[in-house]
């Protein structure tokens, strides 16, 4: 066997030491088993605002026993309602936003070939935002880096096997005929996850090794992923796909399987330039797919600025450049760069999972309000597709002005 020098051998030590640290972090963040728990609670005023009703309506339903009694309070502190309580209230009080039988599920690819633009952050936050809003969500981690899987509380190295990822379905020698096997419950009752781990990358290797008939293998996989997701999507309102930051088999298959596209990018010149490259590459790919007889159609395509720093004047300048280049395709409300998001990520969580602020109460509140507003833009696009847009204050003002 060939020798490895001591510096090269150091990489193995680093990997082992890093693995031990990941596991320590995971244990701090989660319960002793492989799942984390969800501790978020909602006060009655927050529930009323989410349901679009008065607190009295909730209290009356509790008195009438249509709803269970309010959660008991600990000494000096109200415990608040859980997400399951909230979902039950939506059912009982007829405030569920789920799609009607004739509305198509929306399958959104959160895609950009540039790495680190916030794809996984947007995917997980959007999933939890939509869950609080009462939708049924499936998240599919299509990236072998498995950031989204980690943010959902699964350690991809220890608790996810290759058999639990998309691999057995997308492999050249598939061992699964549909995707039902891969759907996992998460701490959120209305969010399911198809996890990923490093071994999902074998899908890419297999294609490279398949030689001459690579193209037909590719096209077969595109059709397969689309068919499998379409089949699963019947149980959900929104399916979110988090692909890897590269143009490979899986990214191409995701592009084709989705019926909507959300492109996150930060307000920096390198992100802007890479995104322009991504768009022109995507345009070429879509034309090639079309000429190969593979149909791609999107209900909406939008760009979302995913890390906007209010205190950095260069961000405002790049935002202006993006505005003039992309027009209304760039969603008007960006996600602000916030320590609350990166701190939550350190605990392998989204800001929707924090029971209390990590930083100051003000930072937390600002971050949540901004996240709700930015992601609300996507909820609105989903609902417009179903012909049932949300009536917002802004819409009322627009209507009044018209
Ligand atoms: N709005 C934000 N505020 C603060 N930190 C953020 C924000 N958005 C993303 N981040 C941080 O930026 C880093 C990269 O984000 P993320 O992993 O979501 O990007 P990605 O596009 O999925 O990356 P990859 O290309 O590797 O898949 C993470 O550490 C994340 O916590
Ligand atoms: Mg990612």
């Amino acid at each position: 066997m060939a020798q490895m020098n001591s510096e090269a051998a150091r990489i193995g030590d680093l990997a082992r030491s890093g693995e031990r640290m990941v596991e320590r972090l995971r244990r701090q963040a989660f319960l002793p088993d492989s799942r984390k728990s969800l501790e978020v609670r909602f006060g009655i005023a927050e529930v009323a605002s989410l349901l679009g009703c008065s607190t009295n309506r909730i209290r009356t339903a509790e008195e009438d026993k249509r709803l269970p009694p309010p959660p008991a309070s600990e000494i000096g502190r109200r415990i608040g309602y859980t997400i399951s309580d909230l979902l039950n209230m939506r059912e009982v009080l007829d405030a569920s936003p789920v799609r009607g039988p004739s509305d198509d599920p929306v399958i959104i690819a959160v895609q950009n070939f540039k790495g680190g633009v916030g794809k996984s952050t947007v995917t997980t936050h959007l999933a939890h935002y939509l869950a609080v809003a009462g939708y049924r969500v499936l998240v599919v981690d299509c990236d072998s880096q498995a950031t989204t899987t980690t943010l959902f509380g699964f350690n991809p190295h220890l608790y996810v096997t290759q058999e639990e990822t998309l691999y057995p379905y997308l492999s050249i020698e598939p061992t699964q005929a549909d995707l039902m096997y891969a759907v996992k419950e998460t701490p959120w009752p209305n969010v399911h996850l198809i996890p990923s781990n490093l071994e999902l990358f074998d899908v890419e290797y297999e294609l490279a090794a398949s030689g001459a008939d690579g193209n037909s293998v590719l096209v077969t996989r595109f059709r397969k992923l689309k068919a499998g997701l379409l089949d699963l999507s019947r149980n959900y309102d929104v399916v979110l796909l988090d692909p890897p930051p590269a143009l490979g088999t899986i990214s191409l298959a995701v592009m084709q399987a989705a019926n909507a596209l959300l492109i996150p990018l930060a307000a920096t010149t390198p992100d802007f330039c890479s995104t322009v490259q991504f768009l022109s590459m995507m345009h070429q790919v879509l034309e090639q797919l079309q000429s190969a007889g593979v149909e791609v159609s999107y209900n909406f395509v939008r760009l979302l600025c995913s890390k906007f720093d209010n205190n950095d004047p260069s961000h405002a300048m790049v935002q202006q450049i993006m505005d003039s280049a992309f027009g209304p395709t760039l969603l008007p409300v960006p996600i602000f760069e916030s320590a609350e998001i990166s701190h939550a990520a350190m605990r392998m969580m989204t800001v929707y999972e924090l029971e209390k602020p990590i930083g100051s109460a003000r930072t937390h509140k600002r971050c949540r309000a901004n996240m709700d507003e930015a992601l609300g833009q996507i909820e609105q696009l989903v609902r417009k597709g179903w012909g049932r847009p949300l009536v917002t204050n802004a819409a009322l003002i627009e209507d009044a002005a018209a």
Side-chain angles (χ1 to χ4, degrees):
M1 210 164 77
Q3 287 292 308
M4 202 189 276
N5 80 355
S6 61
E7 275 302 294
R10 195 195 289 270
I11 296 170
D13 297 339
L14 289 173
R16 279 184 290 276
S17 155
E19 273 297 322
R20 282 195 297 275
M21 184 54 83
V22 170
E23 191 49 21
R24 244 175 71 189
L25 288 172
R26 196 193 66 79
R27 280 187 202 284
Q28 276 169 16
F30 313 145
L31 287 176
D33 65 9
S34 62
R35 289 263 311 277
K36 64 177 176 180
S37 61
L38 185 62
E39 304 295 339
V40 267
R41 295 286 185 278
F42 303 86
I44 189 159
E46 197 179 0
V47 170
S49 141
L50 282 165
L51 267 60
C53 70
S54 66
T55 50
N56 261 347
R57 182 139 182 252
I58 297 168
R59 290 209 176 91
T60 311
E62 286 170 344
E63 279 157 22
D64 292 354
K65 309 233 177 330
R66 280 177 293 141
L67 284 173
S73 55
E74 281 172 356
I75 309 149
R77 188 172 91 94
R78 276 171 204 257
I79 294 178
Y81 299 92
T82 64
I83 180 84
S84 301
D85 294 335
L86 184 60
L87 289 173
N88 181 45
M89 283 184 196
R90 286 192 183 277
E91 283 296 316
V92 172
L93 300 178
D94 198 19
S96 171
V98 302
R99 68 187 167 86
S102 61
D103 304 324
D104 287 332
V106 183
I107 305 178
I108 309 176
V110 182
Q111 198 156 22
N112 194 329
F113 296 154
K114 173 93 166 68
V117 291
K119 293 180 291 296
S120 304
T121 304
V122 168
T123 304
T124 46
H125 281 82
L126 183 55
H128 295 167
Y129 167 84
L130 290 171
V132 171
Y135 298 90
R136 300 160 302 167
V137 184
L138 172 68
V139 178
V140 188
D141 193 349
C142 309
D143 182 4
S144 56
Q145 296 181 96
T147 311
T148 289
T149 300
T150 309
L151 284 169
F152 268 100
F154 297 95
N155 182 327
H157 309 291
L158 290 179
Y159 295 103
V160 180
T161 64
Q162 190 176 37
E163 279 61 47
E164 292 169 303
T165 71
L166 290 173
Y167 178 79
Y169 179 74
L170 288 182
S171 164
I172 282 188
E173 288 171 12
T175 51
Q176 294 283 355
D178 61 49
L179 282 171
M180 285 305 289
Y181 73 92
V183 178
K184 277 199 185 320
E185 290 190 350
T186 75
W188 292 77
N190 49 344
V191 182
H192 290 164
L193 171 75
I194 297 187
S196 168
N197 77 2
L198 204 54
E199 291 168 294
L200 179 61
F201 202 75
D202 287 354
V203 170
E204 311 281 351
Y205 283 135
E206 280 181 359
L207 182 81
S210 72
D213 65 343
N215 263 348
S216 65
V217 176
L218 203 64
V219 170
T220 312
R221 284 187 199 194
F222 295 164
R223 296 224 161 92
K224 243 192 125 170
L225 186 63
K226 185 169 188 159
L229 288 175
L230 215 55
D231 200 26
L232 278 187
S233 68
R234 280 180 304 188
N235 302 322
Y236 302 94
D237 301 301
V238 179
V239 178
L240 298 174
L241 311 177
D242 181 14
L247 181 63
T249 312
I250 294 185
S251 281
L252 286 168
V254 163
M255 251 181 209
Q256 206 257 323
N259 60 23
L261 180 66
L262 182 65
I263 308 164
L265 76 165
T268 64
T269 311
D271 269 25
F272 172 68
C273 296
S274 309
T275 302
V276 171
Q277 273 176 23
F278 164 72
L279 291 168
S280 81
M281 220 149 138
M282 187 143 180
H283 174 65
Q284 284 171 26
V285 170
L286 291 180
E287 279 187 342
Q288 281 166 10
L289 286 174
Q290 210 180 10
S291 53
V294 180
E295 192 206 325
V296 181
S297 62
Y298 296 132
N299 296 323
F300 61 81
V301 174
R302 290 292 184 281
L303 293 126
L304 172 64
C305 178
S306 52
K307 286 183 193 177
F308 185 82
D309 183 353
N310 259 330
N311 298 317
D312 185 338
S314 77
H315 279 223
M317 283 159 71
V318 177
Q319 169 93 344
Q320 266 184 11
I321 294 172
M322 299 195 311
D323 239 352
S324 27
F326 302 134
T329 307
L330 176 71
L331 290 168
V333 182
I335 296 177
F336 296 145
E337 200 162 331
S338 169
E340 204 67 0
I341 297 174
S342 39
H343 281 150
M346 248 177 79
R347 297 174 190 206
M348 303 176 190
M349 287 180 169
T350 67
V351 296
Y352 289 100
E353 296 182 300
L354 300 174
E355 322 156 53
K356 51 180 195 292
I358 300 181
S360 72
R362 200 167 150 259
T363 308
H364 180 81
K365 216 171 148 188
R366 199 176 108 101
C367 174
R368 263 297 296 266
N370 163 248
M371 198 56 102
D372 284 349
E373 198 187 354
L375 300 178
Q377 302 172 111
I378 299 149
E379 179 190 9
Q380 185 66 298
L381 289 166
V382 166
R383 297 193 56 106
K384 275 190 180 154
W386 295 336
R388 276 184 286 124
L390 289 168
V391 183
T392 59
N393 287 342
L396 287 176
I397 293 165
E398 271 171 34
D399 283 353

